[in-house]
């Protein structure tokens, strides 16, 4: 995923003679991959709502996808959101899935108000030159990296402000700025469709503590996680202050088997610059960063906590969110005035 240092129009942000404080790795995919398709399919519901049938139907529907992760969270309006994040390496296969009779029947069935919950889908197609991945260990395997071919590292482009941007190949010539806003392109009753603007930035940043034991487990649950949760709640509840349209702090689960010791933040920022500004200077993220660096370096390669993220900067085009019977502050819809 590393971008070439030669023929760059925009300089790397990596300091001279940089040595990262902790090691990290990036995923490598099959030769010449074009893009990753990412579909977030979910429902917004009261915590006691009956959604088992919805989850079961969605689980069955996505069985042939390259990756399907289920997760749940509480949103800023006090509802729960339960989703599947479905990834496809073949864009045409993803399009065929979304246009299939099976998906159409699923969507029509659960859009009925009789279920007492809202449904939504957020569909993104991201060229590989516009994304990057980062892992705190070489064996960690989460998100769409579950279909990677190999791993690269330890890499040097991380651990400094700007490393995230430096790892995106197209950053060599594109500053990823935005001069547009999210646009509502369709509204029919309680159904709203929102189109993403150029260079919308998405981050899915995860934590897997299922392998931690003893003091490492205690430090994560007692010191790191509370600070992390506070930062995610800030983005969820007050994200408009830093141009974050939406943030979901989610717990993964396996349908009908239970929750996993894995969480992730899924956030939509207006631009990568806005994500960088929050990361570099906002007290909620500085606290997360400093807390981690107080703990992680002393374990080095023996760190049991698995940390990872995937970041993408979208081109305009076939990127949209569709919301039926949902509140007005969900997902991309939160960035549109209705």
């Amino acid at each position: 995923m590393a971008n070439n240092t030669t023929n760059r129009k925009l300089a790397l942000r990596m300091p001279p003679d940089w040595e990262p404080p902790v090691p990290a790795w990036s995923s490598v995919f099959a030769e010449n991959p074009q893009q990753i398709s990412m579909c977030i399919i979910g429902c917004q519901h009261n915590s006691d709502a009956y959604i088992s049938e919805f989850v079961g139907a969605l689980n069955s529907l996505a069985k042939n996808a390259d990756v399907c992760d289920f997760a749940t969270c509480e949103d800023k309006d006090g509802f729960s959101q339960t989703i599947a994040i479905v990834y496809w390496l073949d864009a045409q296969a993803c399009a065929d899935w979304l246009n299939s009779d099976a998906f159409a029947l699923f969507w029509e069935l659960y859009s009925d108000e009789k279920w007492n919950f809202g449904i939504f889908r957020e569909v993104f197609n991201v060229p590989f030159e516009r994304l990057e991945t980062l892992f705190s260990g070489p064996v960690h395997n989460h998100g769409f990296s579950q279909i990677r071919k190999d791993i690269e590292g330890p890499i040097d482009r991380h651990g400094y402000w700007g490393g995230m941007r430096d790892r995106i190949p197209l950053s060599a010539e594109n500053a990823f700025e935005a001069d547009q806003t999210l646009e509502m392109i369709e509204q029919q009753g309680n159904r709203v469709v929102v189109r993403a603007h150029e260079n919308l930035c998405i981050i899915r940043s995860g934590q897997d503590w299922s392998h931690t034991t003893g003091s490492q487990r205690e430090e994560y649950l007692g010191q790191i996680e509370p600070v992390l949760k506070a930062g995610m709640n800030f983005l969820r509840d007050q994200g408009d202050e830093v141009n974050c349209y939406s943030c979901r702090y989610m717990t993964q689960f396996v349908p009908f088997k239970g929750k996993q010791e894995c969480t992730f933040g899924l956030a939509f920022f207006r631009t990568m610059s806005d994500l960088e500004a929050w990361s570099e200077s906002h007290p909620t993220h500085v606290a997360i960063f400093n807390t981690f660096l107080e703990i992680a370096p002393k374990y080095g390669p023996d760190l049991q906590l698995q940390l990872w993220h995937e970041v993408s900067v979208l081109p305009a085009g076939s990127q949209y969110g569709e919301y039926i019977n949902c509140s007005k502050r969900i997902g991309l819809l939160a960035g549109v005035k209705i």
Side-chain angles (χ1 to χ4, degrees):
M1 302 297 293
N3 33 340
N4 201 318
T5 57
T6 60
N7 301 319
R8 292 184 63 95
K9 294 180 180 179
L10 301 174
L12 286 170
R13 299 190 178 188
M14 184 172 64
D17 303 318
W18 174 250
E19 293 186 10
V22 293
W25 289 257
S26 290
S27 291
V28 177
F29 293 84
E31 204 169 326
N32 297 320
Q34 297 302 306
Q35 69 175 36
I36 191 82
S37 294
M38 173 183 182
C39 303
I40 302 166
I41 315 291
C43 64
Q44 184 184 43
H45 57 93
N46 292 319
S47 59
D48 59 351
Y50 175 73
I51 62 167
S52 294
E53 188 173 317
F54 174 88
V55 170
L58 182 53
N59 189 38
S60 177
L61 191 65
K63 63 185 177 184
N64 292 324
D66 290 323
V67 174
C68 180
D69 292 335
F70 279 85
T72 188
C73 72
E74 182 177 325
D75 66 24
K76 66 194 301 180
D77 289 320
F79 295 107
S80 295
Q81 292 182 33
T82 299
I83 69 168
I85 303 185
V86 186
Y87 297 98
W88 304 80
L89 269 179
D90 185 331
Q92 188 58 54
C94 178
D96 291 344
W97 180 66
L98 290 170
N99 292 323
S100 67
D101 290 341
F103 191 92
L105 289 170
F106 165 83
W107 198 246
E108 180 180 4
L109 173 62
Y110 291 105
S111 64
D112 195 307
E113 292 185 3
K114 72 179 183 180
W115 296 100
N116 292 319
F117 57 71
I119 62 170
F120 57 92
R121 56 176 159 175
E122 295 160 344
V123 179
F124 308 112
N125 297 286
V126 190
F128 269 83
E129 66 177 3
R130 284 176 166 266
L131 59 81
E132 61 93 7
T133 61
L134 193 70
F135 291 81
S136 62
V139 299
H140 308 349
N141 203 3
H142 300 276
F144 67 78
S145 288
Q146 293 172 72
I147 47 176
R148 70 190 179 198
K149 179 182 179 182
D150 204 348
I151 193 153
E152 175 188 8
I155 62 172
D156 55 3
R157 295 183 193 177
H158 85 95
Y160 60 91
W161 303 126
M164 175 174 57
R165 181 183 294 265
D166 283 353
R167 290 188 299 273
I168 297 179
L170 194 60
S171 70
E173 58 184 71
N174 191 324
F176 300 134
E177 298 302 331
D179 58 4
Q180 301 167 308
T181 58
L182 297 175
E183 180 184 5
M184 183 176 66
I185 59 174
E186 189 175 346
Q187 182 175 22
Q188 294 180 343
N190 51 9
R191 174 180 175 269
V192 182
V193 181
V194 178
R195 180 165 55 201
H197 55 69
E198 181 80 6
N199 292 326
L200 174 77
C201 183
I202 301 176
I203 179 169
R204 182 182 175 192
S205 181
Q207 309 80 38
D208 179 346
W209 68 95
S210 62
H211 303 280
T212 61
T213 58
S215 61
Q216 292 204 42
R217 187 176 187 86
E218 292 174 3
E219 287 170 336
Y220 175 71
L221 294 175
Q223 298 179 49
I224 299 176
E225 199 281 334
V227 178
L228 170 65
K229 185 175 181 179
M232 295 298 97
N233 285 348
F234 167 79
L235 290 179
R236 180 192 67 185
D237 299 334
Q238 300 165 262
D240 55 339
E241 296 179 13
V242 292
N243 290 323
C244 178
Y245 296 130
S246 169
C247 181
R248 303 170 173 120
Y249 182 45
M250 312 207 75
T251 300
Q252 291 190 210
F253 70 93
V254 177
F256 311 112
K257 293 185 179 180
K259 291 184 177 180
Q260 300 172 288
E261 292 186 329
C262 299
T263 56
F264 62 86
L266 177 62
F268 303 157
F269 280 82
R270 186 179 65 92
T271 66
M272 170 162 278
S273 295
D274 294 304
L275 170 56
E276 289 172 323
W278 174 73
S279 300
E280 294 174 22
S281 61
H282 197 275
T284 55
H285 188 267
V286 172
I288 297 170
F289 188 76
N290 289 341
T291 302
F292 173 70
L293 286 184
E294 288 174 5
I295 295 172
K298 67 183 180 182
Y299 295 110
D302 296 323
L303 180 69
Q304 297 167 345
L305 176 65
Q306 296 186 1
L307 300 174
W308 63 278
H309 77 223
E310 55 193 39
V311 175
S312 56
V313 183
L314 306 184
S318 57
Q319 328 287 358
Y320 69 91
E322 179 180 358
Y323 306 89
I324 302 175
N325 301 322
C326 293
S327 71
K328 296 179 180 179
R329 301 195 298 174
I330 181 175
L332 296 178
L333 190 55
V336 177
K337 293 183 180 180
I338 299 179

